[in-house]
Amino acid sequence: MTDDIDLGRTEELALDDDRTAILRLPDEPLPGRTVPAVVLLHPFGAWDRDAFLPAEASGNGPVRLFGDLGAALVRAGTGAATFDTRFLTEDRRAGAGSPRFTFTGLVDDAVRAAEQVRAHPDVDDSRVLLLGVSMGVEVALAAAERLGGDSRLVLVAPSAQARPVFQRWMGLDRRLEWLTAAGFAGADGTVDLAAAQADDTGRSGWWEEFDLVDRFGRSADLEVLRAELAREYDDWEQQALAHGDESAPASFWRDWYLQPAPYRRLAGITGRMMIHVGAEDWTTPPRQAHLLHHAALTRGLRSQLTVHPRLGHLMSPRSADGRRTYGPFAPAFLESLVASVEAVLRPDPTLRTN
């Protein structure tokens, strides 16, 4: 983490319902000069404006992803706006959720924040960029579509497919994919579940609990696993859409499932973007970034994709014992991310188109 997380000056921007965003700006803008600014958009979950994770969640000490990034942007002469997500501010209502607790509500916040940043007297309203991480990419694309005009986007760890398709991969297919890719499935279709259970560093950071040995024994037929896990996933999906789950209420899941595929939103967007993904990302793997990037090129946007070796979903390296961590951003990646922002915000940025 940076030691100067409080670098710069801060001002409050109104969102709605007495909620505010915080805009961090360089300390001493030159008279008559304005600065570019970035709106930071969170991954899925209960994130505050600094994108704080406690040590037990990050696996690498307390982390403030957006606090660190905001400080780095301010050092580079760029403003940074952040706000608490609705996962923190809205009532879950016993799993039902309020009409405000939706994916569309997150987009409302992003649009409002961008409009307020553009209206700030110290900000160059022609150079306001949306930077999304994971689900924040989906929010950034939906907000850019609504805001109109030429968009400036930096997208980290994106998903590109429609939510029902991608969520099924997240909840089912990646588990089966890992078992086969890691070599635990034999030629006869038998999966060595005991060996998979022992490989806790190999699967760390994306498979929250490995209970298959308790349920199926030390080995199981791959087709049986496919059938049982598919049935369980379908039950989860129906439960989430009807009643919500621990991660979000039904109001959020229903609205999120209705959204178009993120890469299809590119049909309504013009401008330029840079995309970043970790080569070891098992949550939004590089194939998603490639899909988004090539769709952008097809639509005539200027896009550049960077795949970062040895980094996972939140762009942090493994720990010394080989376990996946969730932050802080690897120093080289943080430097690359700030450079991406600067490149996209230049009046005539040099972006590769292949």
Side-chain angles (χ1 to χ4, degrees), residues 55-87:
E56 60 271 19
S58 75
N60 203 24
V63 168
R64 290 175 173 81
L65 292 174
F66 284 177
D68 292 343
L69 177 55
L73 289 168
V74 168
R75 282 199 306 274
T78 300
T82 59
F83 47 88
D84 296 341
T85 68
R86 295 195 181 201
F87 288 81

Side-chain angles (χ1 to χ4, degrees), residues 326-348:
Y326 285 133
F329 291 139
F333 170 71
L334 183 59
E335 182 178 344
S336 176
L337 191 58
V338 173
S340 288
V341 169
E342 292 177 335
V344 175
L345 286 173
R346 286 188 204 117
D348 184 22

Side-chain angles (χ1 to χ4, degrees), residues 86-87 90-92 97-103 247-249 251-252:
R86 295 195 181 201
F87 288 81
E90 295 300 320
D91 186 356
R92 293 174 181 262
S98 71
R100 292 172 46 84
F101 199 165
T102 60
F103 177 87
S247 63
S251 60
F252 187 88

Side-chain angles (χ1 to χ4, degrees), residues 43 86 102 109 112 153 172 182 260 292 306 312 316 329 342:
R86 295 195 181 201
T102 60
D109 289 344
R112 176 65 173 170
L153 300 161
L172 168 63
L292 190 64
T306 303
S316 59
F329 291 139
E342 292 177 335

Side-chain angles (χ1 to χ4, degrees), residues 14-26:
L15 292 178
D16 65 356
D17 198 31
D18 297 324
R19 297 164 59 245
T20 59
I22 295 295
L23 175 63
R24 300 174 63 179
L25 292 163

Side-chain angles (χ1 to χ4, degrees), residues 56-215:
E56 60 271 19
S58 75
N60 203 24
V63 168
R64 290 175 173 81
L65 292 174
F66 284 177
D68 292 343
L69 177 55
L73 289 168
V74 168
R75 282 199 306 274
T78 300
T82 59
F83 47 88
D84 296 341
T85 68
R86 295 195 181 201
F87 288 81
L88 287 182
T89 62
E90 295 300 320
D91 186 356
R92 293 174 181 262
R93 298 189 184 181
S98 71
R100 292 172 46 84
F101 199 165
T102 60
F103 177 87
T104 299
L106 303 185
V107 180
D108 292 341
D109 289 344
V111 169
R112 176 65 173 170
E115 291 172 339
Q116 291 289 81
V117 169
R118 286 175 175 175
H120 193 281
D122 291 336
V123 172
D124 180 347
D125 63 357
S126 69
R127 292 196 296 155
V128 173
L129 179 147
L130 302 178
L131 188 155
V133 179
S134 192
M135 185 195 66
V137 169
E138 299 179 52
V139 176
L141 292 172
E145 184 180 45
R146 195 187 302 178
L147 287 163
D150 274 353
S151 300
R152 290 175 168 83
L153 300 161
V154 172
L155 310 174
V156 180
S159 61
Q161 293 178 284
R163 181 47 46 178
V165 174
F166 185 69
Q167 191 68 40
R168 187 174 181 86
W169 181 84
M170 286 273 292
L172 168 63
D173 293 337
R174 71 170 172 170
R175 303 183 179 211
L176 298 168
E177 185 176 321
W178 179 77
L179 288 170
T180 54
F184 297 118
D188 64 351
T190 299
V191 181
D192 189 341
L193 295 177
Q197 183 179 46
D199 187 17
D200 58 347
T201 57
R203 69 174 188 279
S204 68
W206 63 270
W207 200 337
E208 296 77 9
E209 180 182 1
F210 194 95
D211 61 354
L212 300 185
V213 172
D214 293 337
R215 294 163 52 199

